[in-house]
Each structure stands twice: as C-alpha cells, then as structure tokens.
C-alpha cells in the first residue's frame, strides 16, 4: 500500500511539473529562462564557461552538452529533463 501511494504521488508531481514547463523546443525554453532571469546571451555563455557559447545556443548553432545541461539545471533549479 505504501509503495503504491508513493508511486501515485510521484506521478502526480511529475504531471504537475510537466504542465508548468512551457511547450516548444529546448532552444525556445532556454531563451525564455534566460529572458525571465534578465540574462543576456553573454551572461548565459559565461555561466557555461564560454562567453560566445550563449549566443550560439540561443540561435541554434550549437546543442547543449551533458555538462551544459547539468550546469543549467543547477543554476535554474530545474530537472535536467527540462533541457532534453
């Protein structure tokens, strides 16, 4: 009974989280996060370790690496799934 209740609670939590996440591509979601945080493309790049990287990610010229996803999920307090 306990495990079933826990499983149901986890599923409800995941569904609620998914509803809060905006639709769109990873690039669009990242752009919305950056804008909401008042960051520039350069700020994003500095967060990820390369000032020019932010612009390339937001324009779709580069893809997020695993390391980028880890750093972004910690910085924005989001699950890594948000960036996949």
């Amino acid at each position: 009974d306990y495990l079933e209740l826990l499983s149901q609670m986890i599923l409800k939590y995941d569904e609620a989280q998914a509803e809060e996440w905006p639709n769109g591509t990873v690039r669009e979601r990242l752009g919305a996060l950056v804008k909401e945080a008042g960051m520039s493309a350069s700020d994003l790049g500095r967060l990820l370790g390369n000032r020019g990287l932010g612009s390339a990610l937001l324009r779709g010229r580069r893809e997020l690496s695993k390391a980028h996803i880890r750093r972004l999920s910690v910085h924005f307090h989001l699950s890594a799934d948000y960036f996949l």
Side-chain angles (χ1 to χ4, degrees):
D1 289 336
Y2 173 77
L3 290 177
E4 185 163 331
L5 176 63
L6 185 59
S7 296
Q8 290 174 359
M9 290 174 67
I10 291 171
L11 286 173
K12 284 182 181 180
Y13 175 81
D14 286 344
E15 289 171 0
Q17 289 294 102
E19 290 173 5
E20 291 180 15
W21 293 351
N23 294 328
T25 65
V26 172
R27 184 173 59 93
E28 291 167 340
R29 290 191 304 251
L30 179 59
L33 278 175
V34 168
K35 184 178 179 181
E36 185 178 312
M39 297 171 66
S40 67
S42 293
D43 295 332
L44 175 62
R46 279 192 289 276
L47 172 68
L48 298 175
N50 178 343
R51 188 172 164 212
L53 181 61
S55 176
L57 288 170
L58 293 174
R59 292 178 186 214
R61 288 187 270 140
R62 293 273 312 264
E63 297 291 322
L64 290 171
S65 70
K66 290 177 187 176
H68 298 152
I69 291 170
R70 273 189 228 109
R71 186 162 288 170
L72 289 169
S73 65
V74 168
H75 180 80
F76 289 109
H77 307 287
L78 292 168
S79 167
D81 293 343
Y82 184 84
F83 300 101
L84 297 176

